[in-house]
Amino acid sequence: MNIRNIAIIAHVDHGKTTLVDRILHTAKIFRDNQETGELLMDSNDLERERGITIFSKNAAVTYNGTKINVIDTPGHSDFGGEVERVLKMADGVILLVDAFEGPMPQTRFVLQKALQLNLKPIVVINKVDKPNCRPDEVHDAVFELFFNLDATEEQLNFPTFYGSGKQGWFNDTLEPREDILPLMDGILKYVPEPEVKEGALQMQITSLDYSSFLGRIAVGKVTRGSIRDNQPIALVQADGSIKRSRVKELYVFEGMGKRKVQEVLAGDLCAVVGLEDFNIGDTICDVETPEALPVIHVDEPTMSMTFSINTSPFFGKDGKFVTSRHLRDRLMKETEKNLALRVEDTDSADSFMVYGRGILHLGVLVETMRREGYELTVGQPQVLVKEIDGQKCEPYENLVVDVPEEFSGKVIDLVTQRKGEMLIMESKGDMQHLEFEIPSRGLIGLRSQMLTNTAGEAIMAHNFIDYKPWKGPIPGRNNGVLISKNQAPTTGYSIDKLQDRGSFFVDPGEDVYVGQIIAEHIKPGDLIVNATEGKKLTNMRASGSDAATNIAPKIQMSLEECMEYIQEDECIEVTPKSIRLRKVLLNEEDRKRAAKQAGNG
């Protein structure tokens, strides 16, 4: 049977998952009357809520007698670890580019990985139905990007398709039509069949699946030979050790699910059940002649955060898993499938150092754990500093901001305060397109300030470039915070009196504890306040006037915003029901003592 393995790569929000929907519908894997909904591949709750792909997934369709394995990948640079390893399963890539935005930083990152693996590219310029779109200019920009990334002659000669995933058509010209058949024909024509080498079985495990019924499932592409049900195999691990095992069940991908088979030949993707203790990157080989494939290399993490058990007075109220053993087991389990994540023990048995690709990467992990019933405290994200040739170096990122012209001055001002350097400034329609090189530290907390200063109009994206010399101190948050003086529910009466001191993160009637951060101060410096005092009722008549207080609604911050907001002496208490900001040391005397020691030290 003919096979094509294709990965879909693009910047976040350029339409990958919608394109996969169209491919699934075109191949008629659903009944005509079946309710399917949108964004079929984003099956995880978090992905649906945020509208982004976090985990790469596989689907398979049959078109004109050819089986097409489609791999949907995440577009966010924080999940680059997912993209790097699944590209190993593909023989070609569809590079999707927005007809208005053109190639973005993330497009460059994933395309570079694909070209290094020598994959055959097909360029699809999506969203040509948008007003102000500029498909011809974008096509030239994509060609320039290929050229800058040292693409070969053959890769530079890429076919281009235009269309709109939303309207459901793609064509090799700008002429709209009813379907995406030209693109499907293009996949069969331009993507090469898998290269099959002669010899005994070789298959690299590139991702993990889990079923409560079957346990851990190894997923990968058979690069040589064939794999059969009940076959004894050798598992070669990253350190070179060899384990013997046996295949219990074999599945291939079909539609959105899997189908059980007896044998899978080289070139196809498959899922193997029954292996013990395997990791991503291990090679499944023939028992007689075990030969390993090169180990998957994933870029290093650039950020770290301390995860520790919840030590607040409200400990154990919401969560099911609250001990350090629970926390450790869960983090270790995560490192098995999340390749870009590393976990290390610290001096304290209750806390762990977790290294990841960025705030979103770590934030998604915390959010997932919270939904599973874990309680934990997370500290301020720190960038990883390296010493290169005796010089202190830190990670730098390429930051791209598209913003209406009248706000461009404010954006430049904000970024330069944080040690960013402007590289490019050009007009794109009514928008100004700005590109900067900025230390990763400068990005922490930048998004919320940027949105405030541009009335929510700025679109920013960034991705890691390299380690460069340390840029010196970067100013943090300007304002201090208001800290609760006692433990009790807050009252509307007290909050009303304190409103001119700051903006609150809590509503009246919410339980707070000593050392909890309940508001942002309007000035620098922290202030300890009593927000739990009730009104003294002297006579019956005055008791009703309390309802007349006008209290501004509390500021709602997402988990990532909280992570960007906190300073070094603060942390976030995360439980299944709430996210609270607090000082690391809840007692004021302890904080003063620590500040004194730091001053003396």
Side-chain angles (χ1 to χ4, degrees):
M1 184 176 178
N2 284 335
I3 293 178
R4 302 284 186 277
N5 299 319
I6 189 146
I8 299 182
I9 58 174
H11 186 80
V12 66
D13 225 15
H14 280 194
K16 294 177 294 300
T17 307
T18 309
L19 173 61
V20 177
D21 284 3
R22 295 285 168 249
I23 292 175
L24 293 172
H25 283 293
T26 303
K28 301 226 175 350
I29 68 159
F30 305 110
R31 299 189 311 277
D32 291 341
N33 61 349
Q34 190 172 342
E35 276 292 317
T36 56
E38 300 256 299
L39 304 177
L40 303 163
M41 297 293 269
D42 284 353
S43 50
N44 177 296
D45 286 346
L46 261 180
E47 295 181 310
R48 288 192 166 275
E49 281 168 33
R50 291 166 183 248
I52 56 172
T53 303
I54 297 172
F55 308 104
S56 61
K57 301 176 201 65
N58 302 35
V61 298
T62 305
Y63 176 73
N64 285 358
T66 302
K67 179 179 180 182
I68 303 174
N69 284 310
V70 183
I71 306 161
D72 184 18
T73 64
H76 220 286
S77 57
D78 281 22
F79 308 113
E82 287 277 323
V83 182
E84 287 165 55
R85 61 164 202 244
V86 296
L87 286 178
K88 288 263 184 155
M89 296 197 271
D91 299 297
V93 292
I94 290 181
L95 177 71
L96 208 60
V97 186
D98 185 304
F100 171 69
E101 291 183 350
M104 298 288 278
Q106 189 54 24
T107 320
R108 184 188 184 94
F109 170 79
V110 279
L111 180 62
Q112 191 167 12
K113 300 282 175 204
L115 294 178
Q116 282 166 358
L117 289 168
N118 212 11
L119 302 179
K120 181 79 178 126
I122 294 176
V123 172
V124 176
I125 294 179
N126 191 15
K127 306 192 184 184
V128 295
D129 55 325
K130 276 171 88 170
N132 297 344
C133 69
R134 36 193 200 105
D136 294 337
E137 278 177 54
V138 167
H139 180 266
D140 295 346
V142 171
F143 183 83
E144 204 170 304
L145 178 64
F146 270 79
F147 187 75
N148 291 342
L149 292 174
D150 298 331
T152 61
E153 275 300 314
E154 193 188 357
Q155 286 170 331
L156 278 172
N157 196 10
F158 55 83
T160 308
F161 293 86
Y162 302 89
S164 159
K166 196 173 168 189
Q167 294 178 351
W169 66 272
F170 284 102
N171 201 349
D172 45 11
T173 63
L174 278 165
E175 196 62 44
R177 51 179 294 142
E178 295 295 302
D179 51 41
I180 66 162
L181 295 180
L183 177 60
M184 299 294 280
D185 294 333
I187 292 174
L188 301 192
K189 181 176 171 189
Y190 298 112
V191 177
E193 284 191 27
E195 237 180 88
V196 177
K197 298 176 183 147
E198 290 299 310
L201 164 68
Q202 260 189 334
M203 167 184 159
Q204 188 158 41
I205 300 172
T206 43
S207 58
L208 267 176
D209 210 346
Y210 183 80
S211 131
S212 48
F213 182 57
L214 299 167
R216 293 173 71 211
I217 303 169
V219 178
K221 174 178 161 187
V222 183
T223 44
R224 202 169 77 179
S226 69
I227 185 166
R228 288 184 314 284
D229 198 4
N230 208 22
Q231 173 183 353
I233 52 120
L235 187 69
V236 184
Q237 301 193 294
D239 57 4
S241 60
I242 298 175
K243 284 184 183 169
R244 298 204 159 207
S245 195
R246 187 177 285 274
V247 177
K248 282 190 187 156
E249 289 181 6
L250 256 188
Y251 293 86
V252 290
F253 294 94
E254 189 170 272
M256 302 274 295
K258 301 186 185 76
R259 175 169 61 92
K260 195 171 174 181
V261 288
Q262 291 303 308
E263 184 177 31
V264 179
L265 301 174
D268 205 352
L269 310 186
C270 72
V272 182
V273 176
L275 307 183
E276 295 290 319
D277 294 335
F278 62 85
N279 290 307
I280 290 174
D282 293 355
T283 310
I284 296 175
C285 328
D286 185 65
V287 174
E288 305 300 320
T289 53
E291 269 182 84
L293 286 159
V295 178
I296 298 175
H297 169 72
V298 172
D299 286 354
E300 292 282 302
T302 55
M303 198 165 267
S304 70
M305 255 166 81
T306 314
F307 280 47
S308 48
I309 60 170
N310 185 6
T311 53
S312 87
F314 296 164
F315 153 82
K317 277 192 177 178
D318 305 344
K320 255 193 315 196
F321 307 110
V322 294
T323 65
S324 54
R325 186 179 59 85
H326 285 140
L327 190 59
R328 186 197 163 86
D329 292 351
R330 177 65 183 82
L331 289 172
M332 290 307 170
K333 190 175 150 208
E334 186 68 27
T335 55
E336 288 179 2
K337 61 177 190 295
N338 197 333
L339 279 197
L341 196 81
R342 285 212 321 265
V343 178
E344 285 176 12
D345 291 321
T346 60
D347 304 341
S348 153
D350 293 338
S351 47
F352 307 93
M353 208 48 152
V354 179
Y355 298 91
R357 279 282 178 87
I359 286 197
L360 190 65
H361 186 205
L362 294 165
V364 164
L365 169 62
V366 176
E367 184 64 49
T368 310
M369 288 172 65
R370 172 187 172 201
R371 291 177 183 213
E372 290 169 5
Y374 286 83
E375 278 195 17
L376 63 154
T377 308
V378 292
Q380 186 193 23
Q382 305 282 351
V383 299
L384 296 186
V385 181
K386 284 184 179 175
E387 192 155 306
I388 301 172
D389 302 335
Q391 213 178 5
K392 184 177 174 186
C393 292
E394 63 176 326
Y396 275 67
E397 309 219 7
N398 178 16
L399 169 68
V400 174
V401 185
D402 286 317
V403 67
E405 217 159 304
E406 67 264 30
F407 297 121
S408 58
K410 285 184 178 172
V411 171
I412 295 167
D413 196 31
L414 260 180
V415 179
T416 43
Q417 276 173 18
R418 291 163 169 263
K419 305 275 196 280
E421 285 178 23
M422 187 159 72
L423 307 173
I424 294 173
M425 180 175 183
E426 58 191 22
S427 296
K428 257 193 197 177
D430 313 334
M431 305 284 267
Q432 280 286 17
H433 175 80
L434 308 167
E435 286 192 29
F436 303 91
E437 188 177 278
I438 182 171
S440 299
R441 286 180 302 145
L443 289 168
I444 298 176
L446 179 65
R447 186 179 296 273
S448 50
Q449 283 194 333
M450 180 93 75
L451 291 174
T452 311
N453 286 349
T454 60
E457 295 268 3
I459 300 167
M460 62 183 267
H462 52 87
N463 75 315
F464 172 69
I465 315 171
D466 204 359
Y467 273 83
K468 295 190 178 180
W470 178 264
K471 262 282 177 82
I474 289 177
R477 191 177 69 206
N478 294 330
N479 298 15
V481 289
L482 303 186
I483 303 163
S484 175
K485 182 179 181 180
N486 36 16
Q487 183 170 332
T490 55
T491 61
Y493 173 74
S494 293
I495 289 183
D496 183 41
K497 295 278 177 284
L498 290 166
Q499 277 196 110
D500 54 351
R501 291 295 178 89
S503 316
F504 276 78
F505 302 139
V506 291
D507 276 333
E510 256 183 66
D511 278 319
V512 295
Y513 51 80
V514 181
Q516 184 179 333
I517 295 170
I518 54 175
E520 178 173 54
H521 195 186
I522 54 168
K523 298 178 183 160
D526 297 346
L527 203 60
I528 294 174
V529 297
N530 180 0
T532 60
E533 194 180 9
K535 184 171 184 183
K536 301 288 180 284
L537 304 180
T538 47
N539 60 14
M540 291 307 287
R541 225 172 288 162
S543 65
S545 59
D546 213 22
T549 54
N550 289 324
I551 295 175
K554 71 172 181 181
I555 300 171
Q556 297 273 11
M557 287 210 281
S558 71
L559 183 60
E560 279 89 32
E561 285 168 340
C562 290
M563 286 158 115
E564 292 195 340
Y565 182 78
I566 57 173
Q567 298 295 306
E568 212 166 328
D569 64 335
E570 298 163 1
C571 57
I572 311 166
E573 175 193 353
V574 182
T575 73
K577 291 187 185 155
S578 47
I579 296 174
R580 300 185 187 93
L581 302 178
R582 51 165 281 194
K583 288 288 182 186
V584 174
L585 301 170
L586 296 176
N587 187 327
E588 189 195 354
E589 293 304 317
D590 295 347
R591 288 200 294 276
K592 281 181 177 166
R593 205 171 299 126
K596 213 172 195 175
Q597 282 172 352
N600 295 340

